[in-house]
Amino acid sequence: MSTVAIAPLAESLSAFLNNHDFSAIAVIADNHTAKFCYPDLKPLLPKHTLVRIKAGEEQKHIATCELIWDAFTRSGFDRYALVLNLGGGVIGDMGGFCAATYKRGIAFAQLPTTLLAQVDASVGGKLGIDFNGLKNHIGVFQQPNAVFIDPSFLGTLPERELRSGFAEVIKHCLIADTAMWDTIRVRDLDEQDWPALVAHSVAVKQRVVAQDPTEKGLRKILNFGHTLGHAVETYYLNMPRKRLLHGEAIAVGMVAEAFMAFQKDMIDQTLLTQIEDYLFSVYGNARLSEADIEPILKLTKQDKKNRDNQVLMSLIDGSGSCTFDVPVTMAEMRRGLLFYSGLSR
Ligand code: GLY
């Protein structure tokens, strides 16, 4: 497992660089992190190449990888170079993928700048890009050489981004820590203790990933809310006016999938109501219409956890507990989405 340091970059990254001898360094940033975060990083680095790409999920495809590989090649990078991915999930997943495949793999470290990336994407070594409108369809598992989480970057985030990342914090509590769920669910977004929650989420995720790094089994519990959440996110990907951030879509998925767990007697009414009330209070209602539901369901057929055309879901089976590989039907998922959208009540 990679080392995850939660500390100012001036301490953690500087110590790492002093202990290694890289032949060259590249920083991959998008136009936001190049403006708001790179100025803090630049003075800590020796001579390096800045690879700047446009921000946004729509950049997470093979053509952007070609630009990145081209920058490595033109800078003369050999196998002893280091890539620093400065950004959110898109930069971490895609920059890591480019590093893991360049000359069959060079060193890379994640420097996550969003809450979402700090509590989820940067930890665990899932790397990849979108393909033909499908999220993270092409990719590899490769652990980063290190993850450097600088809490000060959260100060650069718009509130909507913070709220999106919070969905993965909520997920970690629901699947693994009922006491932490009871702590967060009585607080608004602006009352949360972010440094403690980042450390908590990283610890939960590392514990799971250490037991199952390539998602053969247990790691699938980290996908609670993601079968329907990913489908909702993908469905809205090409609709600029209705587009949801990752965590906003996962919040939809968690409510719908909690209802499915309730229908299967895996959780009680009290927990379902807690989840429904809290998630609607934080995220509002994404307002799925009846016409949205069938195309969203169709997208679940592409879920990476499926086997033999059977959708296999990770469902909570109590507060702070989750199980995986639960076969579910289209009718059950439809009822979950109808419950979310209020169409069945
Ligand atoms: N985001 C879930 C995982 O990394 O496995």
Side-chain angles (χ1 to χ4, degrees), residues 159 163 166 170 181 184-189 192 251 255 273-285:
E159 189 183 297
R163 185 177 290 117
F166 186 45
I170 294 172
W181 165 241
I184 62 168
R185 72 184 174 81
V186 293
R187 296 181 182 174
D188 290 337
L189 193 73
Q192 301 294 339
V255 172
T273 305
Q274 280 174 7
I275 294 170
E276 185 192 0
D277 288 352
Y278 190 60
L279 292 188
F280 278 120
S281 79
V282 175
Y283 295 95
N285 191 317

Side-chain angles (χ1 to χ4, degrees), residues 181-250:
W181 165 241
D182 287 338
T183 303
I184 62 168
R185 72 184 174 81
V186 293
R187 296 181 182 174
D188 290 337
L189 193 73
D190 58 1
E191 295 167 341
Q192 301 294 339
D193 178 351
W194 297 116
L197 292 182
V198 170
H200 176 264
S201 272
V202 168
V204 168
K205 184 153 185 190
Q206 278 196 300
R207 201 164 63 230
V208 172
V209 172
Q211 293 173 71
D212 178 20
T214 55
E215 202 169 290
K216 298 287 185 285
L218 181 72
R219 184 171 177 163
K220 294 176 191 172
I221 67 169
L222 297 172
N223 275 294
F224 169 60
H226 283 59
T227 303
L228 289 172
H230 258 160
V232 167
E233 184 182 8
T234 304
Y235 178 64
Y236 287 127
L237 214 54
N238 295 318
M239 298 185 204
R241 281 190 303 126
K242 289 200 79 174
R243 190 126 175 229
L244 295 179
L245 297 180
H246 176 73
E248 294 169 337
I250 297 314

Side-chain angles (χ1 to χ4, degrees), residues 12-79:
S12 56
L13 177 64
S14 300
F16 175 79
L17 294 175
N18 286 338
N19 288 330
H20 292 81
D21 182 22
F22 296 107
S23 59
I25 297 177
V27 175
I28 305 183
D30 64 30
N31 35 324
H32 296 312
T33 58
K35 183 168 171 196
F36 296 111
C37 306
Y38 178 63
D40 292 341
L41 173 64
K42 190 177 174 188
L44 308 176
L45 299 179
K47 183 169 170 291
H48 58 276
T49 303
L50 174 64
V51 184
R52 189 198 294 243
I53 61 174
K54 286 189 203 147
E57 180 76 29
E58 59 278 14
Q59 307 302 323
K60 195 176 172 184
H61 52 59
I62 193 75
T64 315
C65 294
E66 288 178 18
L67 296 176
I68 295 170
W69 288 318
D70 187 50
F72 295 167
T73 308
R74 276 187 291 107
S75 302
F77 280 17
D78 61 22
R79 269 199 172 161

Side-chain angles (χ1 to χ4, degrees), residues 104-125:
R104 298 205 181 86
I106 58 175
F108 69 100
Q110 306 294 42
L111 280 58
T113 57
T114 63
L115 180 62
L116 186 72
Q118 293 191 352
V119 297
D120 187 15
S122 66
V123 178

